[in-house]
Each structure stands twice: as structure tokens, then as C-alpha cells.
Amino acid sequence: MTMETPKEPHSISLKVLRLSRPTFHEYVRLPQSPVDTELPIDPDAALSQGIQGGNDFLFQPLLKLPPAFGSAYVGETFSCTLCANNELPDTSDRLISSVRINAEIQAPTQTVPLDLSPSDEYQAELNSGDSLQKIIRFDLKEEGNHVLAVSLEYTEVAANKDVESAGRMRTFRKLYQFVAAPCLSVRTKVSDFPLRGLENEKRSHTRPMLFALEVQLENMADGPITLVQIVFVPKPAFDTTLVNWDASGAGGDRMESPFLAPRDITQAAFLVKQKPNSKAETTKDERVILGQLVIRWRTSMGDAGFLTTGWLSTRKRA
């Protein structure tokens, strides 16, 4: 009968902290106290009254850090800091050296190794109480479960120089799971209609084609976003025009970018016209491939989002 040796705890701990921008504090005014009350309460008593305790951080009364991991959305950049902390006491007879951190993202359809910043591969020595920090960034392009896998390697050597020791390499791995949800729901509709002056001509595959592309965007996130840009990138055989956002408002000023609260919907429309003497690409079932949508947005705190759709095509032509 063999006895299993209990596992020795690691000398280094690993912490993973998500990097995100702060959010605004939400303050609610108190109800007005009755006139004849003995203890009237100022309705502004719940509001921030400035910096307390001599804190020099100017925006303390206005901003707060997220209390939890928060939501991750497709189209945004997922950022984390990886912290390897030496937990050995100052009196320890061991030294830590050759600390190395590796990370990868396991997305629904692929596994992607991540670049770490700063890019130096090894930390020569990590003293007691010190930490090694790396930052990773990954553009979320798929919905569903994601796993951040972080591996840590380090070498333990004897602190006593009189003791000959080559040291031993130790390693462990941690997994952090999160879900990437859609930030924008994109719905499209393509309508085919004849060019002006050709309405009565017999339908032909050789005449120029004109399509109307209707796009509906719905904010699926928990917070508001501002749509910065929506562009239709056509195939070489087509020209395109955005007919509503590029229009001028009163006084000739360009219309402002739409602001979408959670579950708000906005629409855009494009005219897609075939160039003269050009040949359109088609699928095997004779659907005309028009192009792709490129959408950019920003959250209320300025985080950028980017989304590219697949190839948009028409219905099967008769």
C-alpha cells in the first residue's frame, strides 16, 4: 500500500483582474420632507458632497469601479491583467526566479495564443512580496462560452548559497470562463427593383441591377451606446450610397449619430447599384453577393466596439 504525498502549496499565487473603464455613480434625490416635520431632511443629502478624507482623486464622487466581472460583448476588446505574486515570507529559505506567464483564449471555434504586454519573456527574480504583471487583450468575435487559460512557470532555488541546488521548476494552470453576448442585433433585408426607365423591360440578367438594403440595429447590451459609423463595403461590381445618415438635417447640418439605450432600435438604408459593364459575383444557387456591413460604436464611457457581418446576398433571382 502506497501513501500519497500531500501536494505542496505553490509559492506564487495568480490573480486575474479584468481591465475596464469606470462607470458613473447613480444618486437619487430624497423625497421632500413635510413642512411641519421636526427633523427635515435635505433632498440633496444623498448626493455627493465632494471629496472626503483628503483623497486627491478628482473624480471620486462621480465615478466608480465595476463591483464584479461585468458583461463581455462581441465586437469589443476583452482586456485583463495577470498578476503573479510571490507569497513567500521574507524569512523563507527559498528564492523564486525564471517566472513565466502564458495565456490563451479558447473561443467556441478556435484556440488563440495571446500576446502579453510587456513582452519580456522571463522575470529573472521575484522577491518576497513582489509581483509580475502582464496585460492581455483579445477582440471578441464570437458569441458563446470563452475560456481564458493561464499557465504559470517558475523555478524555486535555495536561498542559502552554501547549499548546492539546481532548483526545481514548478508550474500550474488556471481556467477562467466567461460568456460573450451580442452587443448589437443586426437584421437585414434586400429588395430588388428595376432601374428608372427599365420598369417595363423584360427581366434580364445582363441589365444593371439596383437593390435597396435595409438594416435594423438593436442594442442588446446592458448600457447605452452611440453608433459611430455604419458602412456597407460592396463587392467590386457595385456602388453604394447610405441614404439616411448621410442626409442633411435642418440648416444643412449633418445628422448626429444615433444614441441607443438598451433595447432601442435604429434603421439605416443603402442603395446598391451595379456598375456599368461589370459582372456580379453569385453563389451556387444564383444569389447575388452584394458586400459586408461594417459597424462601429462606443459605450457611454468611450469603449470602442467593432462588428463586421458576413457576406450579404440577394434572394435567388428568377
Side-chain angles (χ1 to χ4, degrees), residues 171-296:
T171 180
F172 63 90
R173 178 181 174 93
K174 285 190 175 183
L175 304 178
Y176 303 87
Q177 184 173 351
F178 63 95
V179 177
C183 180
L184 276 179
S185 172
V186 182
R187 304 179 185 91
T188 60
K189 177 184 177 183
V190 179
S191 301
D192 178 13
F193 54 89
L195 292 170
R196 184 173 298 176
L198 299 177
E199 293 88 344
N200 298 323
E201 288 191 14
K202 184 178 180 180
R203 187 167 190 147
S204 170
H205 290 275
T206 60
R207 69 170 175 81
M209 295 177 289
L210 179 65
F211 302 95
L213 172 62
E214 301 172 65
V215 182
Q216 185 182 82
L217 304 175
E218 181 179 359
N219 180 11
M220 306 297 293
D222 296 331
I225 63 173
T226 298
L227 292 176
V228 176
Q229 184 184 49
I230 175 170
V231 176
F232 183 69
V233 182
K235 284 289 189 176
F238 294 96
D239 287 322
T240 183
T241 304
L242 178 60
V243 298
N244 52 350
W245 286 15
D246 286 343
S248 297
D253 296 331
R254 192 179 184 278
M255 297 177 63
E256 294 184 359
S257 300
F259 175 84
L260 301 181
R263 302 303 180 268
D264 276 0
I265 295 175
T266 189
Q267 294 181 328
F270 296 85
L271 285 179
V272 185
K273 182 179 179 180
Q274 185 180 13
K275 297 177 182 178
N277 303 320
S278 62
K279 184 177 180 181
E281 297 182 36
T282 59
T283 61
K284 294 181 179 180
D285 58 352
E286 298 298 324
R287 299 175 186 268
V288 179
I289 303 175
L290 300 180
Q292 293 177 297
L293 279 171
V294 177
I295 307 166
R296 300 178 186 273

Side-chain angles (χ1 to χ4, degrees), residues 117-136:
S117 177
S119 58
D120 52 310
E121 189 173 3
Y122 286 98
Q123 175 79 6
E125 186 172 319
L126 198 63
N127 296 322
S128 176
D130 288 350
S131 65
L132 172 65
Q133 298 188 9
K134 301 287 186 178
I135 294 176
I136 58 102

